[in-house]
Amino acid sequence: MKDIIEILKQNGGMLTSDLSDELVKRGCSEAAARQKISRAYSASKGQILRLQYLTFPHRAKFAYLKEEGYSDRFYSNLYDALNKTNSVYSHTFNLLKAHYGVLNENRFRVYSSSPEISSKHIKYETVLDNLIKAKLCEYKNINNIRYIYTTEPNYDEKRAIAIEKIELLLIDMLKEWLKRTNFASYRAIDKTTNYGYYFWDISSPSYIFPFIKKDEPNDKKIQHGFLVADVVYNVVDETTIKYFINKLDIVKSHKNNRPVIPILMAKGYISEAFNIGRQKGIIIVTPEILFGKDIADLFENLLYKLSNIAAAATKDIEEFLELYDQLAKIQGSATHLYGDLFEFMVGAAYREFLSNASLEIGKLISIDTGDRKEIDVYMKTTDNKIYFIECKGYAKKTLVGEKEAKYWVEKVPLLRKWGTEKIENFDKLEQHYEFLTTSDFDDKAKEIFNTFNKNTKRYQITYKNGREFIALIKSKNIQTKDKIIKTISEHYLKMEI
């Protein structure tokens, strides 16, 4: 047992197969080494542990010392072991790392190399369940949307959510490109994301010439192929691309599946990943290859701004608004960012007319349940005022209704509780709870807010529609007010959707 502890102290956690090899190097026979490892778990009285729920080839386990569990070296060695064995769990971790440790659950199922249903392969739900049980991942809700977090401490929520928004923009752009080039069915491309028991960012029947055939010359039914595509907005390396290859290999192994065109779009590729993908017959693309360098640079600029949006609202107001104007020229792109743009403008405007105020946009806080709540715009001034602002960037015909109003009314007490626990002398601060929209409120929403204000005397909810917000901007000495008013008028008040 002492030699096992010595090996693990020297090298860190490792597969039991590798641990056995180390013991053999020290003079043990293979059988004696296996027996020694088997006995070590109980003999060490909990000092030597094996990671539960994750299995490796030949029934190997990941062994580690209790004192080193879930340390930096523990994670590093575990990832190496997973990648070395091409485990389905390695594919999951590689994509989590590519997204800074945080993935929307819907995106997680796309990036899992495990199918939705299979008798021969581990299902993606089982993979996720095992990672949760092994305490390698955990669930957290952000504004009632479920996300998967790595338990490794260096995750970056802001950047992960910014990447998710860009990926959704690129998925829509790629769909439009596929429709226009006739690679995918114009009508079917938006209706399904499942093919071959896997989830994809895009999947569609394809009626391009090599795929079209009829069983009989007079048969009216046309046989067609399929197209599948995923988007990863990061630089893909030779380990990250394996998830896509694994999905594709299993789909191709099903005898009854039709021919398929696979497309992977990433921000970039290292040469090994690029070559592996092409050898596997994958269409390897980037935003620059499909849409040009100007569009690719636009998305890189957007990622930086969304990841540092409060700083942009303080220093780069006109540059951010110009960036949005450029995005609006790309079909479908601007609609995904209506909410972000309005939060930005509210933060920028309030930052100018509130003296000496700190500003955070998209601030994430933890509440008692362990869930995360987002404060769209959060400000604290040096003259003892604090602002919690909910923003809804809607087209003018999309009114704020009962659901959104109830959500805010229920959220305000949670914000107060958080403030009481986390902010010194919170009850002595002048508290502002505001709900702003570019559109308007329906009668039910107004009734909910007014009833809340009648029943609550210690604090009130202020709500303003788009025209009231513009009037507020006009009444203040704001340097960029003309640009903000112009942006709201053009991108929200004139919209008929």
Side-chain angles (χ1 to χ4, degrees):
M1 185 182 72
K2 287 182 180 179
D3 46 2
I4 292 178
I5 292 174
E6 185 181 309
I7 292 168
L8 292 175
K9 275 189 175 179
Q10 184 178 343
N11 299 287
M14 61 175 65
L15 292 177
T16 49
S17 53
D18 293 336
L19 183 55
S20 178
D21 290 343
E22 290 293 324
L23 289 171
V24 169
K25 288 178 187 176
R26 296 185 176 210
C28 281
S29 67
E30 290 184 3
R34 287 194 297 271
Q35 195 171 52
K36 206 169 194 179
I37 293 168
S38 180
R39 291 173 177 171
Y41 303 117
S42 57
S44 69
K45 297 180 180 178
Q47 192 176 356
I48 300 170
L49 301 173
R50 56 188 164 188
L51 189 63
Q52 300 296 324
Y53 304 108
L54 271 63
T55 56
F56 293 85
H58 311 297
R59 297 186 177 181
K61 286 285 186 180
F62 185 78
Y64 63 99
L65 295 178
K66 183 179 180 181
E67 64 193 50
E68 202 175 68
Y70 302 92
S71 64
D72 288 345
R73 187 162 74 157
F74 167 90
Y75 283 108
S76 177
N77 287 11
L78 175 60
Y79 295 155
D80 288 345
L82 290 167
N83 280 317
K84 184 174 79 170
T85 57
N86 197 26
S87 164
V88 292
Y89 296 101
S90 73
H91 306 155
T92 297
F93 279 118
N94 291 332
L95 270 298
L96 263 171
K97 290 174 82 172
H99 291 79
Y100 294 85
V102 181
L103 268 175
N104 183 307
E105 188 174 23
N106 288 333
R107 306 292 296 136
F108 180 93
R109 67 182 189 177
V110 169
Y111 293 139
S112 174
S113 65
S114 298
E116 182 186 16
I117 301 169
S118 178
S119 58
K120 296 180 180 178
H121 304 279
I122 184 170
K123 295 187 290 185
Y124 91 88
E125 287 180 337
T126 305
V127 168
L128 180 54
D129 188 46
N130 286 343
L131 290 173
I132 301 289
K133 287 178 181 176
K135 298 181 181 178
L136 295 170
C137 290
E138 59 185 341
Y139 288 119
K140 288 183 184 178
N141 288 334
I142 301 178
N143 290 346
N144 299 331
I145 299 171
R146 190 141 82 159
Y147 282 78
I148 314 300
Y149 283 63
T150 175
T151 53
E152 199 174 4
N154 57 346
Y155 58 77
D156 186 340
E157 290 166 313
K158 280 265 187 185
R159 197 164 181 84
I161 292 170
I163 286 175
E164 180 189 345
K165 288 172 181 175
I166 289 174
E167 286 173 346
L168 294 176
L169 290 175
L170 287 170
I171 289 166
D172 278 357
M173 288 178 67
L174 181 55
K175 279 183 179 179
E176 194 63 30
W177 184 87
L178 292 168
K179 288 177 184 177
R180 293 184 177 189
T181 55
N182 203 35
F183 267 100
S185 167
Y186 204 94
R187 293 180 180 177
I189 194 169
D190 293 315
K191 294 181 180 177
T192 177
T193 56
N194 188 299
Y195 175 70
Y197 301 115
Y198 278 102
F199 291 98
W200 310 83
D201 283 330
I202 300 171
S203 69
S204 169
S206 179
Y207 293 92
I208 62 173
F209 177 73
F211 290 162
I212 297 175
K213 65 177 183 178
K214 296 181 179 181
D215 291 336
E216 299 292 338
N218 297 324
D219 195 346
K220 291 183 180 180
K221 189 174 181 181
I222 298 174
Q223 297 293 327
H224 58 77
F226 257 86
L227 178 143
V228 295
D230 283 352
V231 175
V232 181
Y233 196 71
N234 209 326
V235 176
V236 167
D237 62 19
E238 72 276 15
T239 58
T240 308
I241 200 171
K242 286 181 180 179
Y243 96 93
F244 193 80
I245 292 170
N246 195 66
K247 288 170 73 173
L248 197 58
D249 284 345
I250 293 175
V251 165
K252 286 180 177 179
S253 70
H254 296 158
K255 292 180 180 179
N256 295 328
N257 277 345
R258 295 176 183 178
V260 64
I261 302 172
I263 300 175
L264 180 62
M265 175 183 279
K267 182 166 74 171
Y269 303 85
I270 66 166
S271 57
E272 290 89 342
F274 185 82
N275 292 333
I276 290 169
R278 294 192 69 175
Q279 287 166 12
K280 286 286 186 178
I282 299 167
I283 298 175
I284 298 289
V285 296
T286 64
E288 183 173 346
I289 288 172
L290 281 192
F291 310 121
K293 189 175 187 305
D294 288 347
I295 298 296
D297 290 345
L298 195 65
F299 280 113
E300 270 301 277
N301 195 6
L302 178 62
L303 175 61
Y304 175 78
K305 291 290 190 293
L306 290 176
S307 301
N308 304 276
I309 195 164
T314 304
K315 299 176 183 177
D316 307 321
I317 299 172
E318 295 210 17
E319 186 181 334
F320 187 91
L321 295 178
E322 176 61 30
L323 174 64
Y324 186 85
D325 286 341
Q326 290 175 296
L327 282 166
K329 295 172 185 176
I330 304 170
Q331 184 170 358
S333 291
T335 55
H336 283 291
L337 297 173
Y338 286 156
D340 296 280
L341 176 65
F342 186 49
E343 289 170 20
F344 172 86
M345 289 189 292
V346 170
Y350 273 58
R351 177 71 179 79
E352 284 202 60
F353 68 71
L354 290 175
S355 59
N356 299 317
S358 61
L359 166 67
E360 292 185 60
I361 297 175
K363 180 179 178 67
L364 291 167
I365 62 170
S366 295
I367 58 175
D368 289 346
T369 61
D371 289 345
R372 308 279 274 164
K373 293 291 182 185
E374 184 178 24
I375 305 169
D376 291 342
V377 177
Y378 170 81
M379 303 191 74
K380 190 169 181 289
T381 69
T382 54
D383 58 349
N384 297 321
K385 296 176 184 175
I386 192 165
Y387 288 78
F388 300 89
I389 307 173
E390 184 82 357
C391 304
K392 294 296 179 189
Y394 286 166
K396 69 177 184 179
K397 288 191 176 181
T398 305
L399 302 183
V400 173
E402 180 180 6
K403 183 179 177 181
E404 294 102 318
K406 276 186 175 178
Y407 175 76
W408 183 238
V409 162
E410 291 167 1
K411 187 174 176 179
V412 166
L414 297 175
L415 298 178
R416 277 180 51 79
K417 190 171 188 301
W418 171 81
T420 302
E421 294 171 353
K422 301 294 182 182
I423 299 173
E424 188 176 355
N425 298 320
F426 180 74
D427 285 338
K428 294 180 181 178
L429 298 176
E430 183 180 303
Q431 298 169 29
H432 294 258
Y433 301 91
E434 302 189 7
F435 196 121
L436 308 179
T437 182
T438 51
S439 60
D440 207 343
F441 303 86
D442 69 16
D443 291 340
K444 192 66 179 176
K446 292 176 184 177
E447 181 186 336
I448 289 169
F449 289 144
N450 292 337
T451 301
F452 179 90
N453 288 337
K454 275 184 187 178
N455 297 333
T456 310
K457 299 302 179 187
R458 293 183 66 188
Y459 54 94
Q460 298 282 283
I461 290 175
T462 303
Y463 59 96
K464 291 183 175 70
N465 63 27
R467 300 196 182 280
E468 289 167 336
F469 178 67
I470 287 178
L472 174 68
I473 299 297
K474 286 180 177 178
S475 71
K476 303 291 183 180
N477 183 25
I478 298 173
Q479 199 171 22
T480 55
K481 66 180 176 183
D482 290 341
K483 181 65 175 174
I484 291 174
I485 291 168
K486 179 174 178 286
T487 302
I488 291 175
S489 298
E490 287 185 357
H491 293 297
Y492 297 97
L493 299 184
K494 290 182 181 179
M495 290 189 300
E496 297 293 337
I497 50 178

